[in-house]
Structure formats: structure tokens, C-alpha cells
Amino acid sequence: MKQIKKIAIIGGGGRTGQYIVNQLLEKGFYIRLLLRHPESFPLSNPHIEIIEGDVLDAEVVTSLVEDCEAVISTVGQRKGEPLVASVATENILRAIENQPSVSTSIRYILLAGLNIDTPFDRKSPDTQKATDWMKMTFPEIHADRQKSYLILQSSQVKWTLVRVPFIEFSEERSALKVSLEDCLGSKISAADIAGFMFVQLTDDTYIRKAPFIAGI
């Protein structure tokens, strides 16, 4: 696999995204970070290049992805704003596919909730209950997330959709339960999410797949 030196990060100013940024910086990576409000980002580091803009802007996303070997997205739905997931996915995939000669080697790793359904799922009653709650409570957001999965399936990009349960914002690390069929736990730490997503940069196991991960 192509050596990864520079990574585009979307959602790096969010609560989960900051754990990913910190872990990547600790490992010496260069980061190109998309921020809508760069003035509020707390970190200053020579390994960070900030691009001001919105993932809903296709031109900005193209600029973000240029010369990067991987893209990580933890962008979530913003309260009271237009739907994000499917448009963001389309913009990111298009930006990757438009990169000259290297688009097939660029990794795209994105975060989603356990409510996303895939044809390979065998969800337990607890996981299905959480899925059904999301469908009933936030039907438009759920449908948009589900649409993003269908968009991923139709692309040739090396993506991995990481599905997670309730996120605890802590540095606590544990062994992970990973499954392509069901979420095997009720929570996970943000540090564990960051660690798993980092491993996917150079691991082919879950290319074009949507693993559930949970803490033990």
C-alpha cells in the first residue's frame, strides 16, 4: 500500500475529530484540516495546514484532498442546518476520484452511527432497537446517512465506514469488539475510535466494508 504522509481531515474540530487529530500528530503525520471556523480551533502545530470552508462546498473539498494520500471524516449533522452526510460523501468521493493517477490508492475512512444498515447485517434486538429509534426520531437524518452508504457502494474508492455506538469522550483505551454483522457493545471511547480509524489507513481488512466497533 502507498505510504501515507498527508491526511485530509473533515470534522477535526469536533469532539471526536480532535482525538483523531491529536493521535495523528503524535505519530508525525501532516494534516490538512477543513474548518468552518478556524479561529475557534484550539491547536497550533506546524504539521497542520488549515483550509477554511465547508464540506458541502465541492470546490473546497477538492482543494482539501489534493496531494493527500488519505481522507478521514467524522463530520456529523449540524442542528438546524441542511443535511450533510450524503452531500459530503459525494463531494469527498468526487474529489478523490479526480486526483490524477492515485485515486485508486487513496483511503477514505468515515464515521457513522450503528443505525446504518448494510446487506450483511444481522443486528441483535438491542442494535435493532437503537436503529429503529433513530429512524423514528430523526427520519430525515437517518435516510441521509443511509443514502451516503449507497453512494459509497457505487464508488470504486477504498472506503471504510466505521459504525459506532454511544461515544464516551475520554482517552480510555480498551480491546475492541469488531463485527461486520452487529454492534457487540453499548459504548466506545473517542480515543478508541481514533485508534481504529488510524489502523485502517494501512490495513486492507475492511476496505469497502462497514465494521461495527465497540469497547469491551
Side-chain angles (χ1 to χ4, degrees):
M1 181 174 286
K2 181 181 176 69
Q3 185 179 8
I4 293 174
K5 298 178 181 178
K6 184 185 291 185
I7 303 170
I9 305 289
I10 300 158
R15 296 180 72 187
T16 303
Q18 289 188 35
Y19 284 82
I20 295 170
V21 169
N22 287 334
Q23 287 194 23
L24 291 175
L25 290 175
E26 289 173 1
K27 298 177 188 300
F29 287 89
Y30 287 89
I31 295 171
R32 184 174 287 158
L33 190 59
L34 180 64
L35 295 173
R36 292 201 296 170
H37 305 290
E39 69 280 357
S40 63
F41 188 69
L43 272 178
S44 178
N45 189 293
H47 281 212
I48 296 177
E49 176 188 355
I50 292 177
I51 302 293
E52 183 174 0
D54 195 320
V55 72
L56 299 181
D57 185 328
E59 290 186 7
V60 168
V61 175
T62 296
S63 176
L64 174 79
V65 173
E66 186 177 4
D67 298 326
C68 290
E69 291 87 23
V71 181
I72 295 177
S73 175
T74 62
V75 68
Q77 181 58 44
R78 306 140 179 177
K79 187 176 181 180
E81 297 194 33
L83 294 170
V84 172
S86 62
V87 175
T89 300
E90 287 177 335
N91 287 345
I92 294 165
L93 290 174
R94 189 177 300 114
I96 291 173
E97 290 164 350
N98 286 341
Q99 295 303 302
S101 74
V102 298
S103 63
T104 56
S105 65
I106 295 174
R107 288 289 276 121
Y108 175 30
I109 304 157
L110 66 161
L111 188 67
L114 55 76
N115 57 292
I116 300 301
D117 293 321
T118 83
F120 312 101
D121 290 349
R122 295 181 179 178
K123 290 183 174 180
S124 67
D126 284 345
T127 305
Q128 191 60 54
K129 182 178 179 180
T131 299
D132 292 341
W133 180 88
M134 186 67 182
K135 289 179 180 179
M136 290 186 296
T137 309
F138 302 104
E140 292 183 350
I141 296 173
H142 171 79
D144 191 52
R145 281 286 186 183
Q146 194 65 45
K147 181 181 177 181
S148 69
Y149 174 71
L150 297 176
I151 294 168
L152 288 169
Q153 281 190 306
S154 67
S155 82
Q156 297 304 310
V157 170
K158 292 184 176 180
W159 56 267
T160 299
L161 177 67
V162 181
R163 293 183 283 176
V164 300
F166 178 79
I167 300 173
E168 293 185 330
F169 296 99
S170 77
E171 293 286 355
E172 183 178 348
R173 302 295 298 270
S174 68
L176 294 180
K177 299 176 182 178
V178 184
S179 170
L180 292 171
E181 297 181 341
D182 186 27
C183 189
L184 304 177
S186 61
K187 61 185 180 179
I188 188 167
S189 75
D192 274 338
I193 293 172
F196 183 82
M197 296 182 90
F198 169 73
V199 170
Q200 304 319 303
L201 293 171
T202 53
D203 190 334
D204 292 350
T205 304
Y206 297 110
I207 284 179
R208 300 183 55 77
K209 297 178 181 178
F212 294 95
I213 62 172
I216 292 178

